[in-house]
Amino acid sequence: MKALRIANGRIIDPANKRDEVADLWIADGVFTNQPRGEESEVESIDATGLIVAPGLIDMHVHFRDPGQSQKETIATGSRAAAAGGFSSVVCMPNTNPVADNAGTIALIREKAQCNAEINIFTAGAITKGLAGEELAPYGSMFAAGIVAITDDGHCVQNHEVMRRAVEYARMFGIPVLDHCQDYSLVGNGVMHEGEWSLRLGLPGWPRIGEEIIVARNILLSELCDSPIHCQHISSGGSVRLLREAKSRGMKVSGEVCPHHIALTDECLRRFDSNYKVNPPLRSASDIEEIVEGLADGTLDILCSDHAPHALYEKEVELDQAPFGVAGLETEFGLFCDILVHKKKAVPLDRLIEMLTVNPARLLSLDRGTLSAGAPADVALIDPNLEWRFDKEKSESLSRNTPFHGAELKGRVVRTIVTGKTVWALEV
Ligand SMILES: [Zn+2]
């Protein structure tokens, strides 16, 4: 048996409340205690000066596979994830065909088996065709391996349909993830409704379009006694609603994407579609409230909403361009830079917690810890490494990022999946 020793790093394993300088041992793809045996059979990685963390998990990515391989594929998306330090991702179901049935889920999982070196988990659709009307078959999708349901990109508007979705999902112990957007309030909005939308003459996407669905979800979660997770929170008002609900012990949670704390609506002043995301970039006060929500634990999961688009799709008039940014490779750097270094709002161990054990617990994944016996997914992190993101070197098929040239502090320097290095920073 060949063992791997990750030597002399600072092990931060929030799931086990562990923070110490020690060696981490891996054998046969799982974490082990230090084996007794011949030293010659041990391969060693020197982690002196590095953080040794559980493999990072991004529970919100779009790999566009099947159906839109001009934007991304499972192979390219996985490489981008690995290069961003992620050993696990959860793919959203808005593929073509939509992942609203067991066959498509099985197809995606099979593609992942053949084409990905990281762990690909799948979310199934809440409703057939993401149309918001008829529930998808959760039982057979669950048997095929889904870890959650969501209509991400779309939002179930009919509250009775949503209620039945939550009750049905509860039978399988899977959470409902919701893209919170009220269609009547948002209409054809393309950016945050405020001073800048007025100045630029663009239709506004008001905060209340998100908040009213967050409030709906809190009420439904309470009624059904089952978890609802609010995706990509952009509004300060949503944070307040979630804080109040969590203080009463409600099973609701919220996630945050880097662009929503790094950028404001003012970025759209040059009509650059790389700043067009859904929900939209908002104001400095929203950023403040989101960061406060992360600091006090109201929001406890971080993700990218990695949404690759081909150049020709984004190079059109702003109101015609698709929403989204490709975010996997800048995600950790932005979060570490903003939350840990610049704002000092979140310590490093909590940052790691929000990228590992928190999503793992919500989705019941056997990942996100360094416990003996668990699959040996590891991120080696240099939290003080200063680096510059170059989109031309990206592993993603797409280049739709507003962070080209961004100078960031903190980076994953090696990504290990079940004991195997799948990506390492070249030095
Ligand atoms: Zn979404």
Side-chain angles (χ1 to χ4, degrees), residues 60 62 152-154 179 231-232 278-279 305:
H60 191 149
H62 300 268
D152 183 52
H154 300 260
H179 166 119
Q231 298 177 289
H232 42 47
N278 187 10
D305 190 8

Side-chain angles (χ1 to χ4, degrees), residues 6 20 28 111 118-119 122 193 249 271 281 311 325 328 342 351 353 375 378 413 423:
I6 299 175
E20 60 178 336
D28 294 332
K111 278 177 170 249
I118 63 159
N119 311 301
T122 53
E193 180 184 283
F271 298 93
L281 305 177
L311 191 59
V325 300
L328 273 164
K342 289 211 175 87
L351 181 80
E353 186 179 28
V378 183
V413 295
W423 181 84

Side-chain angles (χ1 to χ4, degrees), residues 1 48 74 95 109 131 211 249-250 261 305 398 417:
M1 183 178 79
T48 307
I74 285 172
T95 46
R109 285 170 58 88
E211 293 157 358
M250 297 303 110
I261 59 167
D305 190 8
S398 292
V417 179

Side-chain angles (χ1 to χ4, degrees), residues 22-85:
D23 290 351
L24 182 70
W25 289 87
I26 295 168
D28 294 332
V30 297
F31 297 116
T32 59
N33 299 315
Q34 181 169 350
R36 291 191 205 102
E38 289 296 309
E39 192 67 9
S40 60
E41 291 178 54
V42 175
E43 185 196 334
S44 207
I45 294 172
D46 181 17
T48 307
L50 298 175
I51 306 291
V52 180
L56 306 185
I57 302 168
D58 186 330
M59 63 172 282
H60 191 149
V61 305
H62 300 268
F63 281 179
R64 312 299 190 196
D65 196 352
Q68 292 186 297
S69 56
Q70 79 279 18
K71 296 176 195 270
E72 196 79 289
T73 65
I74 285 172
T76 59
S78 302
R79 288 203 292 274

Side-chain angles (χ1 to χ4, degrees), residues 116-139:
E117 286 197 300
I118 63 159
N119 311 301
I120 308 275
F121 296 97
T122 53
I126 297 175
T127 59
K128 286 184 184 169
L130 308 173
E133 289 162 7
E134 207 183 329
L135 299 187
Y138 306 161

